[in-house]
Structure formats: structure tokens, C-alpha cells
Amino acid sequence: MRDLTKCIHSGYVPKNSEPKNVPIVQSTTYVFDSTTEVGSVFDEPTKALIYSRFANPTVMAVEGKIADLEGGVGAMCTSSGQAATLITVLNLCKAGDSIVSTSQIYGGTFNLFAVTLKKYGIDCIFVDCDASEDEIDAAVKENTRLIFGETIANPALTVFDFDKFSRVAKKHGIPLVIDNTFATPVLCKPFEYGADIVVHSTSKYMDGHAVQVGGVIVDSGNFDWTNGKFPDFTEPDESYHGIRYVERYGKAAFIIKARMQLMRDFGAYPSANSAFLLNLGLETLALRMERYCENAKKVAEYFAASDKVERVSYPGLEGDRYYPLTQKYLKGASGVISFVIKGGKENAIKFMDGLKLASIEVHVADIRTCVLHPASATHRQLTDEQLVAAGINPGLIRFSVGLEDIDDIIEDIEQSFSRI
Ligand code: PLP
């Protein structure tokens, strides 16, 4: 199946006289015929459903769909994008380990890596996404357990150079973990370019209607966990009757370990209702992504031609620094644009407050156009130096183009610019 079809049909195929839509299985738990039966599921937890903190049929349908879209061997949904990133890192690292990440990442992830994980003994070495291969190589230490980056970074809108980073990851025998939220599998399939694990905030384009907060982790099944750096995958797990994940689950070792160890212990699984809503969004994902790209290109061109604008970043714009990487790895540059307004923070605020159709939100990737001033919202916890490293100028506005009529979106911008 192609993506348009997978979005609609993957993950749930009703049999004779079964519901056409994925049923919402609103149940915390599942019943068993006998004590022996329930005992056997504790011996082999992938055998049957036990409790909706580990797995739930509605959520599993969505997991199947997303795994199929990304081309992975398995996926696990989480209660937020943050939980997906956290669980992924903790599935690979323990206190004393480190990670390497590009500095052009979502502010919440930056804070998780730079501040919170550090308190638990996991260090992060940040590298610029444009760093040379030698610089990235030098950042990888003996205790490094993964390299992290975003396909299209939020809000810097840099495009990740998969070949460069994946060569370094392969050389050191560590997985490449990609946050593919902005691109979605419709515009980029990171596993085709050497990524090993993909995470998403499904709260963004996958949902698309701003109705649920969620995340997902997808396992490519391609990484060799037996290279000596990941004993938790090859040695017995005492908390699960001495299971050795690679020996028992082969290519799905990563995603099954994430579910059996970390979802069991941390409990960040989404509700069936959230999964149902996410599935509705996913059904039109491929269709929507096409229109987001189309609308955003027109808005980016409008900003580029406007005398109110100092500079525009949109990787789908010819002449943008990341245009060549967009051409190489992406089918489109998605729907988010950032631009620096002339007159800095003061005019940024005037412009935002003057918009009538677009709303001010701490959100992107909705069907409705929305705007945000990162320096005073998502990134306000960063120091000036960290803001610069993350590519955030005080006059920077993040403009998430929706699916309204393009003429209405541009007229709204025009009327707000005219008041400045
Ligand atoms: N990754 C990216 C690229 C994001 O934009 C976000 C949220 O904005 C996250 C991760 C975190 O996701 P969530 O808000 O669902 O926890």
C-alpha cells in the first residue's frame, strides 16, 4: 500500500460484521479463563493483553498504522511526545552514560537533555546540526549511547543531514534516534536514511486537529544490539524472569524492552479515547501534508517578498540554506515557517496581536493557522547563549500554516503588517 492508503487502512482490518471504525476499548483490564492462563501471560507478556498500562487494542491499532507508515518492525504509543523521547533515551542509557544531540531541537527536548537528564547522571553533548563530521565524531565518547536530531527542527527549521550523522553513529556502534514530528513519515522516512529509532509528538501533524497530546516510538529493527555496548538487551532482565531481549524478540528487541520494562515502570501509556482521536487524524495525514506544504510555500514566498520581514526560514524555499537537504531527504518542507520581523520583539508582538484569523498558541501543525513568539514562550527558559545556539532571534515568529484558503491566510498577514 502507498501512504495515502496506509493512513486509512493500516493497523485495523475489520473482519466479517465487525465495526468499520477502530473500536474504543475503554477497559483497564482483561479477563482470563484460568489462573494458569493468567500466569502464562506473566511468563510471556507479549502473548495476550493483561492491563492497559502495557497495551490496549485501540492504541495497538494506531501503533500498527504508524509502524507501517514509518516502515518499522513495531511501535509504542506514549502519553506525550516528551514521554516518547524520555523512554527512548532511558531504554538505551543509564546513569554514567551520555548522548550526543544537535542543538537545533524542540525547547522541551533541549531542557530534558541539558538539565533534567543531567540530574539523573546522563550527560548530553550538543553539536550544531551543521557541524563537520569530524566535530560530531569528536563529541561521541566511550560512554555515548545514541545520537539524536530532528528531521526538520522546531523552531529553527534546519534540516537534518542523515548521511553525515548516520555515518558517525554507525562508526561508533550506537543508534541514530530521530524526532520526525515536523516531517511525519509522509514527507520523510528516516529509516531509509540510516536512522534506527524514530520518535514523534503525535500531538502535531499526526493528530492535526489539536485534540490529543501523545507520542510514539518506532523501532526500525535494524540496529545490532549485540555489539557489546548494550548489555541490557543481551543479558538476562532480572525484573522479567531473566528474559534476554535480543535472544527472545530478535529485531523487535528495542520496542518490546521499552514496553515491558519502561512502560511497565513509568506508565505513560495513552488512553483508548486519545488513540481513537489520533487515528482519525492519521486517516487524512497524507492528504493534509500535501496541502500544508503547498500553503506554506506560498506564505513563505509572501514573507520573503515583504519589506516588513528581515529574513525567512522555510526549507522548501529555493535559496534557503537547507533547501538542498530538503531536496535530498524530504518530499516537502511541511507547514511551519519562521521569520524575523523588522523591529525585533516589539513588532513581533504587534504583528501577532494584530492577526484575526491566525491564533496565538503554544502549538503548531494544526489545521488552523497559528503563531508563536518562541523567545517569550517555549524557549523562555533558555539563556541568551542557548537561544542563539538554538537559532532563536528575539524577533523570530513561528508561523504554522493551516489548511484555510491560502488567500484568507495571506490577507490576514497583510492586514496585520499594515498596522506596523
Ligand atoms: N518534539 C517536537 C519536535 C515537538 O515540537 C514537541 C512539542 O512541541 C515535542 C517533541 C514534545 O511533544 P509533546 O508536546 O507531545 O510532549
Side-chain angles (χ1 to χ4, degrees):
M1 291 191 287
R2 279 84 173 164
D3 283 352
L4 272 168
T5 319
K6 284 183 183 176
C7 282
I8 297 167
H9 291 284
S10 284
Y12 176 69
V13 182
K15 297 189 197 74
N16 188 46
S17 194
E18 283 184 353
K20 185 174 175 71
N21 276 305
V22 176
I24 302 174
V25 181
Q26 195 69 47
S27 183
T28 53
T29 193
Y30 308 86
V31 295
F32 292 89
D33 287 343
S34 68
T35 335
T36 315
E37 265 301 311
V38 76
S40 73
V41 182
F42 275 86
D43 284 342
E44 177 45 81
T46 58
K47 187 178 155 193
L49 293 164
I50 311 177
Y51 188 60
S52 288
R53 171 153 45 83
F54 306 102
N56 166 282
T58 317
V59 187
M60 285 163 71
V62 175
E63 291 169 344
K65 180 171 288 187
I66 297 174
D68 204 16
L69 280 164
E70 286 286 6
V73 292
M76 179 175 76
C77 284
T78 56
S79 54
S80 67
Q82 284 297 101
T85 305
L86 176 65
I87 289 177
T88 297
V89 172
L90 295 184
N91 208 27
L92 299 168
C93 301
K94 57 184 185 322
D97 290 339
S98 72
I99 66 179
V100 167
S101 171
T102 59
S103 34
Q104 291 85 357
I105 50 174
Y106 165 62
T109 312
F110 192 96
N111 196 65
L112 172 69
F113 290 174
V115 182
T116 306
L117 284 178
K118 207 175 190 144
K119 292 186 197 158
Y120 296 90
I122 298 168
D123 267 338
C124 180
I125 297 166
F126 288 100
V127 292
D128 194 273
C129 67
D130 294 327
S132 70
E133 205 161 320
D134 285 346
E135 286 168 325
I136 303 162
D137 192 65
V140 177
K141 310 291 178 208
E142 197 41 47
N143 68 351
T144 305
R145 288 297 172 268
L146 67 100
I147 296 181
F148 185 92
E150 291 182 14
T151 309
I152 302 176
N154 176 15
L157 303 181
T158 51
V159 176
F160 191 78
D161 189 341
F162 286 94
D163 286 350
K164 181 174 68 176
F165 282 91
S166 80
R167 274 197 298 271
V168 178
K170 280 196 174 58
K171 176 180 163 196
H172 292 276
I174 53 175
L176 178 62
V177 178
I178 294 297
D179 182 332
N180 198 30
T181 299
F182 269 27
T184 82
V186 173
L187 302 180
C188 180
K189 296 196 194 300
F191 297 154
E192 291 176 4
Y193 303 116
D196 300 291
I197 309 294
V198 159
V199 295
H200 286 272
S201 165
T202 60
S203 330
K204 304 297 173 319
Y205 288 109
M206 284 193 171
D207 166 334
H209 300 74
V211 289
Q212 62 89 50
V213 171
V216 70
I217 307 169
V218 193
D219 182 357
S220 68
N222 294 332
F223 191 81
D224 175 13
W225 304 108
T226 65
N227 67 7
K229 290 199 165 176
F230 300 93
D232 284 357
F233 288 78
T234 51
E235 298 306 311
D237 176 359
E238 293 315 330
S239 76
Y240 248 122
H241 324 297
I243 277 179
R244 295 171 195 259
Y245 290 98
V246 172
E247 188 181 286
R248 179 85 71 105
Y249 301 111
K251 280 184 166 297
F254 177 90
I255 202 71
I256 290 183
K257 176 172 151 348
R259 192 184 293 272
M260 284 166 59
Q261 280 182 340
L262 300 183
M263 195 53 91
R264 173 197 63 191
D265 293 353
F266 298 156
Y269 205 59
S271 73
N273 255 298
S274 290
F276 179 82
L277 294 170
L278 173 57
N279 188 54
L280 285 183
L282 284 166
E283 288 180 345
T284 56
L285 180 70
L287 202 61
R288 286 186 288 111
M289 291 317 292
E290 261 178 46
R291 182 59 72 90
Y292 284 120
C293 293
E294 204 181 297
N295 275 2
K297 182 137 194 282
K298 289 182 182 151
V299 174
E301 282 163 357
Y302 176 84
F303 283 141
S306 167
D307 60 1
K308 306 278 185 200
V309 172
E310 198 173 296
R311 65 182 159 81
V312 188
S313 291
Y314 180 64
L317 211 53
E318 249 174 274
D320 186 274
R321 182 171 181 170
Y322 295 95
Y323 187 71
L325 289 175
T326 303
Q327 298 290 100
K328 184 169 176 189
Y329 298 117
L330 293 158
K331 280 194 189 147
S334 203
V336 182
I337 299 168
S338 66
F339 70 98
V340 175
I341 198 162
K342 285 185 186 161
K345 191 172 177 178
E346 198 187 325
N347 276 355
I349 292 167
K350 267 192 206 156
F351 169 73
M352 304 234 318
D353 291 348
L355 290 166
K356 290 181 176 163
L357 180 70
S359 48
I360 299 171
E361 285 172 32
V362 185
H363 191 52
V364 285
D366 192 1
I367 49 168
R368 288 148 289 218
T369 298
C370 51
V371 280
L372 182 81
H373 183 226
S376 58
T378 44
H379 288 66
R380 68 184 295 133
Q381 79 279 15
L382 303 192
T383 63
D384 284 354
E385 280 154 15
Q386 287 173 330
L387 276 175
V388 172
I392 317 292
N393 179 299
L396 184 91
I397 294 170
R398 187 180 67 184
F399 198 97
S400 173
V401 182
L403 301 184
E404 299 95 342
D405 190 301
I406 185 62
D407 293 336
D408 290 327
I409 298 172
I410 288 178
E411 273 171 33
D412 190 34
I413 299 169
E414 240 162 18
Q415 65 80 26
S416 190
F417 271 165
S418 70
R419 296 154 190 257
I420 294 171

